[in-house]
Amino acid sequence: AAAGIERALFLDLETGGLTSSPVFLAGTMHWNGETFVLRQYFARHYGEEAPLLRALAEYLRGFEFLVTYNGKSYDAPFLKGRAVTHGVPLVLPPRHVDLLHLSRRRWRAELPDCRLQTLERHVCHRRRSGDVPSDQVPGLYHDYVRDGDPWRLIPVFHHNLLDVITMGEILQELCGGRSAARRARARSSIRR
């Protein structure tokens, strides 16, 4: 996976809830050879969903792998459906790595569940702060569109970025990244 990381795009969507609701925020992350680049595509109102989808579709063209968490069941079909609704040509990368399925195989016996935030706590050793529960995200967006108060969306942007960053860390763990590095350091210190 490390050899192909530059061809992989991490993606997480925030939506209005139901399948007929809009995609209003798409968080992405990719490796440019030196650092991870994070981007968020945001629809300031319902009418901006189509431009968001067009911009995201254009960006997706440059990648061979799509990396999501539960994206095969949720993000990818939702995105395709919304693109069809707006007549936006959208082609997802040909390969899709859904970290939920890989995480279940790896940590199912060790963890109470394989929710992304559970993995973030137990695998990435980080607790979120300033976050908003996923089930509150649609309501906060609808409130923003109705009232125009952007401050209530700050935790939503934060939540989306943390989801994308956590996916990168989970992929690293699944590939033996940090664990392998820790084992190498341990072997090195034993030899001294």
Side-chain angles (χ1 to χ4, degrees), residues 49-163:
E49 182 186 22
L52 179 155
L53 294 169
R54 279 193 289 277
L56 189 57
E58 179 67 29
Y59 189 53
L60 285 165
R61 288 184 192 162
F63 297 94
E64 186 178 336
F65 298 91
L66 183 64
V67 182
T68 63
Y69 202 84
N70 197 30
K72 284 187 178 179
S73 299
Y74 185 76
D75 298 77
F78 198 102
L79 196 57
K80 287 178 186 176
R82 298 308 297 163
V84 167
T85 297
H86 290 287
V88 173
L90 178 108
V91 178
L92 296 177
R95 297 181 180 157
H96 190 156
V97 177
D98 190 330
L99 296 172
L100 172 62
H101 306 291
L102 298 171
S103 296
R104 281 181 178 156
R105 279 195 288 267
R106 169 64 181 83
W107 291 295
R108 176 183 14 226
E110 301 170 36
L111 299 176
D113 60 60
C114 283
R115 291 175 40 242
L116 187 61
Q117 290 186 21
T118 301
L119 293 176
E120 188 173 29
R121 239 184 347 268
H122 296 283
V123 175
C124 305
H125 308 289
R126 181 179 62 245
R127 283 194 180 271
R128 291 191 182 194
S129 117
D131 193 26
V132 61
S134 296
D135 62 343
Q136 291 181 18
V137 168
L140 289 171
Y141 179 66
H142 296 309
D143 289 349
Y144 159 75
V145 170
R146 186 179 51 252
D147 303 333
D149 181 9
W151 297 107
R152 297 194 60 195
L153 285 181
I154 291 172
V156 175
F157 281 89
H158 181 72
H159 171 90
N160 179 259
L161 281 177
L162 286 175
D163 282 355

